[in-house]
């Protein structure tokens, strides 16, 4: 079983990778407003369903979005706890006011 820090590290890596695509960012922006079905997301983004399905799969695998099925439709929403993990990771950098210079690591001749 992976350690909690290894799990968080994996979630951070995959989460930021998922955020590196404009279509996935577009999906997340739309989901900030409300839960949406695939057909609404396709219309809003101007992409076909097969292309969007690829991006939704990535977002689901990285736990950035939740999916629930109602009848034959699948509805997507943001998974806010996953965003908190990414937010906490980035917040650690803003707490460092001064980053010390490197020590001299080689003998000078």
């Amino acid at each position: 079983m992976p350690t909690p820090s290894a799990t968080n590290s994996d979630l951070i890596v995959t989460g930021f990778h998922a955020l590196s695509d404009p279509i996935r960012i577009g999906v997340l922006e739309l989901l900030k407003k409300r839960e949406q079905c695939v057909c609404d997301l396709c219309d809003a983004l101007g992409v076909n369903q097969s292309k969007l399905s690829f991006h939704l799969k990535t977002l689901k695998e990285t736990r950035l979005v939740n999916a629930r099925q109602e009848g034959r439709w699948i509805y997507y929403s943001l998974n806010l706890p996953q965003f908190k993990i990414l937010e906490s990771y980035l917040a650690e950098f803003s707490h460092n006011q001064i980053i010390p210079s490197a020590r001299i690591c080689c003998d000078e001749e």
Side-chain angles (χ1 to χ4, degrees), residues 51-63:
K51 185 173 190 171
L52 186 60
S53 291
F54 168 78
H55 291 290
L56 288 170
K57 180 178 184 249
T58 300
L59 291 169
K60 285 190 311 187
E61 288 174 348
T62 60
R63 303 181 197 168

Side-chain angles (χ1 to χ4, degrees), residues 37-85:
C37 69
V38 174
C39 57
D40 289 338
L41 292 169
C42 285
D43 290 345
L45 295 168
V47 297
N48 63 42
Q49 190 168 346
S50 63
K51 185 173 190 171
L52 186 60
S53 291
F54 168 78
H55 291 290
L56 288 170
K57 180 178 184 249
T58 300
L59 291 169
K60 285 190 311 187
E61 288 174 348
T62 60
R63 303 181 197 168
L64 291 172
V65 300
N66 297 315
R68 70 173 180 86
Q69 188 163 357
E70 188 174 308
R72 60 179 233 187
W73 301 107
I74 299 176
Y75 293 87
Y76 293 90
S77 61
L78 295 179
N79 181 19
L80 296 177
Q82 177 61 20
F83 284 91
K84 288 291 185 190
I85 292 171

Side-chain angles (χ1 to χ4, degrees), residues 10-45:
D10 292 342
L11 293 173
I12 290 165
V13 169
T14 59
F16 283 116
H17 169 73
L19 294 172
S20 69
D21 185 274
I23 291 175
R24 292 192 287 264
I25 294 294
V27 169
L28 297 175
E29 288 294 323
L30 291 167
L31 295 179
K32 280 188 340 186
K33 298 171 186 165
R34 65 179 169 90
E35 177 182 70
Q36 297 197 37
C37 69
V38 174
C39 57
D40 289 338
L41 292 169
C42 285
D43 290 345
L45 295 168

